[in-house]
């Protein structure tokens, strides 16, 4: 197990419900429901407030503050640029057609214009823009033997600070497996297009693609890879005794919050069970079929459901405070995923993004862009529904959404499409569109986010300072 994904040490041992003191003592923020072979972190409860304040004083967090979290979502192949940028600036702005799905969250997002990643401006179509998305460094040109991104990604710098508070240092999630081989068009290994999270110059972090595995890991943070018989059973049943005991100690609002939390977990688990059983083929054909007979495109995984489940995993990880740092890739660089499941789209993402200003392709490109924003909006809405003290999990988070290039046709790293959801516990001025000077370093945003997290870091990569107007005074 790498240091980037190590589990909690003995000095940060979780507190189990059965170990809680009696007589109305407040619950620890690290309290876990425990069943045979598993542990389930709790959401924020009012009963934790006194304890949370006491623990904060003993840690590097400021007293009274809720946990601050950061996620970075990556979309391949850019956006249709004439449909992305909002009208107006500051709080008085109008969402663009692509960003319209975020209308109900307008006061909780920050749209940033004119940021660019200079280090990725080296002529390569996609790979430098992908692996350099969170590092703001220029990757070495390689055919696969000597991978080197020449830096660390901002999520891992944030994880250096946050790992002391959570069982999992960070989560790296995705949809597509690592792509191998060499893209002969540009002379780069395709592996570069499969990673945005780097713990070191030569250490890309593996993505988890299976939502069931993510779910199991969150429930069993100390043994994420163990293969045991209880995997085939409903995990939540094993914690019911602790839930019943806990409910006797809670007030009405906390009991209601726990009921909603358990229902949410049960719903996710049932969906995971259903998806797994479908992929394991519950029936067999009466006559064997030759794989070569399969019509092209007749069978495919449910991409939309896969993405939604991963959004649920991020929300669950943040709600339980199992980790405070997460990355997610909607697809690898040069993703050719077929989006024909969307009305009006008939083809692969990468091909459509090379629109050459063809009106039909531009329309399809826009539909794909908007669908991705809808999934982002789903995550933000879910986080905003999770109460955490007097705020929500979204309020205490920074959920970045963007791409390493502006437009799939030009491959330009100028004026990148970037949105931040949430305000990091009031550290960011949300609800505005900010347009900076042309070619403001993307690294300035990352320096700003690290500052908002309270890491003590004042710079990142080629940053020249924090972004004006983003941090709350």
């Amino acid at each position: 197990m790498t240091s980037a994904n190590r589990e909690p040490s003995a000095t940060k041992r979780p507190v189990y419900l059965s170990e809680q003191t009696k007589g109305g003592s407040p619950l620890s923020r690290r309290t876990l429901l425990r069943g045979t072979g598993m542990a389930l972190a709790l959401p924020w409860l009012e009963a934790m407030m006194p304890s949370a304040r006491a623990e904060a004083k003993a840690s590097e967090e400021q007293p009274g503050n809720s946990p601050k979290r950061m996620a970075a979502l990556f979309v391949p192949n850019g956006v249709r640029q004439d449909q992305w940028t909002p009208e107006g600036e500051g709080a008085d702005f109008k969402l663009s057609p692509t960003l319209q799905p975020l209308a109900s969250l307008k006061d909780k997002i920050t749209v940033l214009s004119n940021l660019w990643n200079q280090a990725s401006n080296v002529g390569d179509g996609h790979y430098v823009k992908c692996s350099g998305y969170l590092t703001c460094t220029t990757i070495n040109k390689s055919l696969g033997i000597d991978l080197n991104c020449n830096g660390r990604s901002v999520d891992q710098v944030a994880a250096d600070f946050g790992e002391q508070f959570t069982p999992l240092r960070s989560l790296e999630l995705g949809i597509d497996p690592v792509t191998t081989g060499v893209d002969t068009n540009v002379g780069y290994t395709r592996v570069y297009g499969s990673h945005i999270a780097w713990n070191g110059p030569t250490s890309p972090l593996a993505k988890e693609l299976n939502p069931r595995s993510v779910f199991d890991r969150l429930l069993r943070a100390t043994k994420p890879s163990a293969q045991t018989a209880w995997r085939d059973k409903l995990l939540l049943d094993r914690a019911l005794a602790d839930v019943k005991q806990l409910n006797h100690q809670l007030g009405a609002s906390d009991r209601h919050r726990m009921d909603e939390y358990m229902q949410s977990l049960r719903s996710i688990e049932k969906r995971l069970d259903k998806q797994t059983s479908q992929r394991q083929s519950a029936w067999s054909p009466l006559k064997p079929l030759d794989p070569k007979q399969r019509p092209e495109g007749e069978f495919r995984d449910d991409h939309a459901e896969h993405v939604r489940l991963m959004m649920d995993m991020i929300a669950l990880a943040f709600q339980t405070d199992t980790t405070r740092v997460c990355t997610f890739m909607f697809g690898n660089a040069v993703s050719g995923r077929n989006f024909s499941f969307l009305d009006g789209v008939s083809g692969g993402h990468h091909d459509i993004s090379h629109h050459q200003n063809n009106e039909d392709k531009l329309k399809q490109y826009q539909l794909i862009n908007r669908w991705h924003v809808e999934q982002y909006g789903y995550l933000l809405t879910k986080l905003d529904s999770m109460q955490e003290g007097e705020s929500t999990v979204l309020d205490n988070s920074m959920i970045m959404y963007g791409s390493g290039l502006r437009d799939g046709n030009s491959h330009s790293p100028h004026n990148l499409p970037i949105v931040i959801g949430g305000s990091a516990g009031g550290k960011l001025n949300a609800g505005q569109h900010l347009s900076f000077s042309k070619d403001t370093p993307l690294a300035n945003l990352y320096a700003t986010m690290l500052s908002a997290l309270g890491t003590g870091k004042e710079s990142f990569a080629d940053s020249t300072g924090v972004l004006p107007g983003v941090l709350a005074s």
Side-chain angles (χ1 to χ4, degrees):
M1 184 176 292
T2 65
S3 61
N5 292 291
R6 61 179 176 267
E7 308 303 341
S9 64
T11 59
K12 195 65 176 178
R13 189 180 66 81
V15 179
Y16 293 100
L17 179 62
S18 56
E19 300 168 352
Q20 289 290 311
T21 56
K22 305 299 181 180
S25 297
L27 292 174
S28 165
R29 185 65 179 87
R30 296 193 302 274
T31 299
L32 302 180
L33 301 172
R34 180 166 59 183
T36 305
M38 54 83 72
L40 173 62
L42 293 173
W44 181 90
L45 299 172
E46 291 178 5
M48 295 174 177
M49 290 182 67
S51 177
R53 282 194 291 269
E55 289 177 7
K57 291 177 182 178
S59 72
E60 293 186 17
E61 293 183 319
Q62 293 299 314
N65 279 3
S66 296
K68 298 181 184 66
R69 310 172 181 94
M70 169 185 166
L73 280 58
F74 170 84
V75 182
N77 302 327
V79 299
R80 177 174 173 172
Q81 53 187 342
D82 66 332
Q83 299 289 302
W84 174 266
T85 307
E87 294 180 17
E89 296 183 30
D92 186 20
F93 73 99
K94 180 181 178 182
L95 289 170
S96 64
T98 303
L99 296 176
Q100 195 57 44
L102 305 177
S104 64
L105 299 154
K106 186 170 178 278
D107 62 340
K108 295 198 173 187
I109 63 171
T110 306
V111 186
L112 307 168
S113 294
N114 285 327
L115 300 181
W116 89 307
N117 191 358
Q118 182 178 15
S120 69
N121 191 36
V122 296
D124 158 65
H126 292 261
Y127 302 103
V128 178
K129 278 85 171 178
C130 177
S131 273
Y133 175 60
L134 296 181
T135 65
C136 294
T137 56
T138 305
I139 64 175
N140 286 1
K141 195 164 189 176
S142 167
L143 301 182
I145 299 174
D146 53 345
L147 289 176
N148 194 327
C149 77
N150 295 299
R152 296 180 78 211
S153 52
V154 65
D155 57 293
Q156 291 306 298
V157 177
D160 288 343
F161 173 74
E163 67 177 330
Q164 62 188 306
F165 305 119
T166 60
L168 295 181
R169 170 185 166 86
S170 60
L171 279 177
E172 291 73 46
L173 308 179
I175 298 295
D176 298 333
V178 174
T179 310
T180 58
V182 176
D183 189 328
T184 56
N185 291 319
V186 290
Y188 281 86
T189 171
R190 291 188 175 92
V191 173
Y192 275 132
S194 304
H195 299 284
I196 57 173
W198 293 75
N199 194 40
T202 60
S203 304
L205 294 174
K207 298 174 296 186
E208 179 57 68
L209 310 179
N210 186 340
R212 168 172 283 284
S213 297
V214 180
F215 186 60
D216 288 352
R217 189 177 183 195
L218 295 178
L219 294 180
R220 301 180 304 110
T222 56
K223 297 180 180 178
S225 60
Q227 300 292 327
T228 57
W230 63 263
R231 269 180 175 269
D232 298 326
K233 300 179 181 180
L234 289 176
L235 303 179
L236 302 183
D237 287 343
R238 301 201 175 196
L240 288 180
D242 261 0
V243 172
K244 187 177 294 185
Q245 176 189 341
L246 176 60
N247 278 336
H248 289 309
Q249 303 177 34
L250 301 178
S253 60
D254 276 347
R255 288 198 300 271
H256 178 70
R257 190 170 289 116
M258 277 299 299
D259 287 343
E260 289 183 336
Y261 175 61
M262 297 301 287
Q263 290 171 15
S264 174
L265 289 174
R266 179 75 74 188
S267 173
I268 292 172
E269 189 171 41
K270 286 181 177 179
R271 287 162 60 195
L272 290 169
D273 284 337
K274 181 178 179 181
Q275 189 178 65
T276 299
S277 64
Q278 287 175 341
R279 293 185 180 182
Q280 290 177 343
S281 298
W283 67 278
S284 297
L286 296 177
K287 184 177 180 180
L289 298 174
D290 185 340
K292 295 179 182 178
Q293 294 176 304
R294 180 185 298 158
E296 207 172 308
E298 180 177 304
F299 175 82
R300 70 174 188 278
D301 289 342
D302 189 339
H303 179 64
E305 176 65 2
H306 192 175
V307 169
R308 284 290 173 100
L309 282 168
M310 285 304 200
M311 297 296 101
D312 289 339
M313 295 304 106
I314 297 172
L316 181 58
F318 280 2
Q319 182 189 28
T320 60
D321 203 31
T322 305
T323 189
R324 298 184 185 178
V325 177
C326 182
T327 58
F328 174 74
M329 296 182 72
F330 279 99
N332 292 348
V334 201
S335 171
R337 178 170 295 280
N338 193 312
F339 274 84
S340 296
F341 64 89
L342 297 179
D343 290 340
V345 179
S346 58
H349 190 187
H350 181 241
D351 177 67
I352 290 172
S353 74
H354 282 264
H355 49 76
Q356 297 182 317
N357 293 318
N358 176 278
E359 188 58 35
D360 182 57
K361 281 193 172 184
L362 282 170
K363 288 179 180 178
Q364 295 184 63
Y365 193 28
Q366 164 66 8
L367 290 171
I368 295 172
N369 294 164
R370 188 178 172 107
W371 182 85
H372 281 120
V373 173
E374 287 171 355
Q375 311 320 304
Y376 175 59
Y378 170 82
L379 172 60
L380 297 189
T381 300
K382 194 173 186 73
L383 292 172
D384 201 37
S385 72
M386 296 172 170
Q387 201 66 29
E388 196 165 52
E390 296 181 357
S391 56
T392 68
V393 175
L394 176 61
D395 293 331
N396 296 323
S397 302
M398 293 180 290
I399 313 298
M400 175 183 169
Y401 173 98
S403 185
L405 45 84
R406 174 70 175 183
D407 169 60
N409 197 60
S410 66
H411 299 151
S412 172
H414 295 266
N415 196 11
L416 295 173
I418 302 290
V419 184
I420 304 291
S423 59
K427 297 296 183 179
L428 302 185
N429 285 318
Q432 55 179 338
H433 168 222
L434 296 175
S435 183
F436 303 104
S437 302
K438 183 180 179 181
D439 291 344
T440 294
L442 174 64
N444 285 9
L445 169 61
Y446 298 155
T448 304
M449 295 173 75
L450 291 172
S451 175
L453 288 173
T455 64
K457 301 290 184 180
E458 298 181 355
S459 62
F460 179 81
D462 63 347
S463 66
T464 58
V466 298
L467 291 175
V470 177
L471 288 174
S473 56

